[in-house]
Amino acid sequence: IAIIQYPYVFSVETSELLFDATGAAQATIPVFCSGTFSYSSGSDNWLTVTQSNDGLSVSVTDNPYMEDRTTSIVVYSKNNTSLMKTIPIRQKAFVFTADAEQLHYKAISSTSQTITISCSSGWDITSHEDWISCSPEHLETGAFDQSMTISVKDNNTLEERHGTILLKSRIGGHEKAISVLQNPYIFTVDTDEIQFDAENAESVFVHV
């Protein structure tokens, strides 16, 4: 009588998990095990692991920091603890960038300028001078390469004026400042005094 006993099966095919910084979808780790299995993970409070008969479900909270964060999960057989698999987990860093930090405008009839903002969450413009206009002034959800158009009113003063557009991310409270410079209005007359002869006086050109 031939007797065949199949080998013990322990298989975890997931090699690593990568999550976006915000709004990351839940991930699953399928586990194939002839007996029972369990897992261990660090004390990271941004990671939640739920075990079922078929494997593990892994979710993360939003990452408010501008650096990756990492941890790992060890899955092992309870019938043979030498059978184990370590799964590295990485969550991407929070992103908040603008492709320009300073804008320069003419005094009169300036053309609007556009900058590109990338942010892992929604953001708001919290302040700017009243001669500066921005569109849009906020974004509800995170987006990369989002265009924002900035325009200025005419500067009718003889002074250069400086302004700041301050943006703040809705997750993490990160701030980004965009400087705005506008040239002064120019009005010069190069002649202080004009003298004419009593008779047959010629015209004089005045540069303005």
Side-chain angles (χ1 to χ4, degrees), residues 1-23:
I1 298 173
I3 299 175
I4 300 174
Q5 186 176 22
Y6 292 108
Y8 189 90
V9 174
F10 178 77
S11 174
V12 182
E13 296 182 357
T14 303
S15 59
E16 65 177 345
L17 293 178
L18 175 64
F19 293 93
D20 289 334
T22 58

Side-chain angles (χ1 to χ4, degrees), residues 75-161:
V75 185
Y76 60 91
S77 165
K78 295 182 72 173
N79 304 96
N80 183 350
T81 55
S82 67
L83 299 176
M84 63 177 63
K85 176 73 173 289
T86 300
I87 302 167
I89 297 172
R90 180 169 68 90
Q91 187 176 20
K92 296 178 182 178
F94 191 92
V95 174
F96 192 23
T97 62
D99 66 352
E101 295 184 352
Q102 186 177 87
L103 302 175
H104 200 165
Y105 292 85
K106 299 186 301 181
I108 303 296
S109 302
S110 288
T111 302
S112 298
Q113 298 186 47
T114 300
I115 64 173
T116 300
I117 299 171
S118 294
C119 188
S120 298
S121 74
W123 50 263
D124 299 281
I125 294 178
T126 57
S127 66
H128 63 74
E129 282 69 19
D130 59 5
W131 49 272
I132 301 173
S133 298
C134 305
S135 179
E137 291 212 347
H138 61 86
L139 203 65
E140 295 296 327
T141 59
F144 289 81
D145 299 327
Q146 169 69 40
S147 295
M148 181 173 72
T149 302
I150 302 167
S151 56
V152 296
K153 296 178 181 178
D154 288 346
N155 183 7
N156 296 316
T157 73
L158 301 181
E159 301 292 332
E160 181 180 71
R161 57 187 181 184

Side-chain angles (χ1 to χ4, degrees), residues 5 18 23 44 60 101 109 119 162 166 169 175 184:
Q5 186 176 22
L18 175 64
D44 305 279
V60 296
E101 295 184 352
S109 302
C119 188
H162 303 256
L166 190 63
S169 66
E175 292 186 332

